[in-house]
Amino acid sequence: MEEVVVIIGAGPAGLASSACLNRLDIPNIILEREDCYASLWRKKAYDRVKLHLAKQFCELPYMSYPPKLPMFVPKNDFISYLDNYASHFGINPRFHCYVESVYYDKNASKWCIVVRNNKLNTTEVYIAKFLVVATGENSEGLIPKVPGLDGFEGMYMHSSQYANGKDFIGKDVLVVGCGNSGMEIACDLLYWGAHTSIVARSPVKSLHLSSSLEPFFTFPFQLIYISYSKCML
């Protein structure tokens, strides 16, 4: 199958790429290995997750969020936004398409994409003049090989498998890592009544956002954190 543009991945970046191309009437297709678009948000995000930046910094091209949405958009509202976005721009990804290999044919000046269609159990080959890789950086969960983990008698999971703390009420839970997911999951566990502890590899700087800092809430929190970190050097 020969295409003008092939996009690998139907997350927000893949949808946005297709929307921009559709507006210019440039033929394109999206190949997605899952059975839906935005699978990371639909299948691997915990219930209380929200966008970590204010919504004006997280809009996809040519469509704003509904005004009624809060500044930090909750998971389900973001998924609804993506549904409306795909419908509005006529985006129809091809699902169950796992890209096995990609190479550039210099003689033909085109990309060759070998795909396994897991639904039809067939192999497909796509030829494209242009290739967009929109697979993201968080598509695969990794649990490090920690000595003794195999013999641990309790439950352990990657953060992508965590939905909420309903099953951990009154239990001792250790969260490894204090990035966005680690800190928010720890907070969620406390909310559900779990006895929660956190371990972190590196020292953590904390900044209490008091009411005096409310004007900064319209800016990415990372910018506040970076500024704070520089002041601490």
Side-chain angles (χ1 to χ4, degrees):
M1 289 174 275
E2 189 158 347
E3 307 290 343
V4 177
V5 183
V6 167
I7 302 167
I8 303 176
L15 297 178
S17 299
S18 182
C20 292
L21 291 168
N22 287 346
R23 290 185 80 253
L24 297 173
D25 294 323
I26 299 175
N28 66 92
I29 63 167
I30 301 179
L31 303 176
E32 169 58 48
R33 65 180 180 180
E34 298 288 346
D35 60 356
C36 61
Y37 52 80
S39 63
L40 185 65
W41 284 89
R42 295 180 190 275
K43 297 182 177 183
K44 298 181 180 180
Y46 40 97
D47 293 346
R48 66 183 294 154
V49 69
K50 299 179 180 180
L51 294 180
H52 293 151
L53 300 180
K55 62 182 180 181
Q56 60 264 39
F57 298 104
C58 301
E59 294 175 349
L60 298 190
Y62 308 109
M63 180 178 284
S64 298
Y65 289 103
K68 65 179 182 179
L69 290 185
M71 183 175 296
F72 297 96
V73 181
K75 167 186 171 181
N76 289 338
D77 289 324
F78 182 61
I79 291 174
S80 295
Y81 169 76
L82 294 179
D83 288 338
N84 293 332
Y85 191 85
S87 176
H88 179 77
F89 290 105
I91 303 170
N92 296 293
R94 299 187 183 183
F95 299 119
H96 306 283
C97 291
Y98 181 86
V99 175
E100 293 187 320
S101 64
V102 174
Y103 66 89
Y104 186 69
D105 187 335
K106 292 183 178 179
N107 294 326
S109 297
K110 292 183 179 180
W111 292 92
C112 181
I113 305 102
V114 180
V115 174
R116 184 176 73 246
N117 189 314
N118 289 324
K119 185 175 183 179
L120 302 177
N121 196 27
T122 59
T123 297
E124 302 168 350
V125 178
Y126 293 83
I127 306 297
K129 187 174 182 180
F130 302 100
L131 177 69
V132 177
V133 179
T135 53
E137 60 182 12
N138 300 311
S139 59
E140 295 290 342
L142 174 64
I143 298 180
K145 294 182 179 180
V146 180
L149 186 60
D150 292 339
F152 179 61
E153 296 181 356
M155 177 193 302
Y156 67 89
M157 66 174 65
H158 187 269
S159 60
S160 62
Q161 298 172 290
Y162 178 86
N164 56 60
K166 183 177 180 180
D167 295 332
F168 301 98
I169 298 174
K171 296 182 179 180
D172 296 326
V173 183
L174 177 65
V175 177
V176 180
C178 60
N180 288 336
S181 296
M183 297 296 280
E184 291 181 351
I185 288 174
C187 179
D188 190 58
L189 286 164
L190 287 170
Y191 173 83
W192 282 95
H195 307 302
T196 311
S197 301
I198 302 177
V199 294
R201 180 172 54 185
S202 303
V204 180
K205 298 182 180 71
S206 298
L207 175 62
H208 175 66
L209 296 180
S210 65
S211 58
S212 63
L213 290 175
E214 286 184 0
F216 291 98
F217 285 1
T218 57
F219 293 92
F221 180 79
Q222 284 87 338
L223 296 182
I224 301 175
Y225 177 77
I226 291 171
S227 176
Y228 174 75
S229 298
K230 287 183 177 179
C231 292
M232 295 295 292
L233 296 178

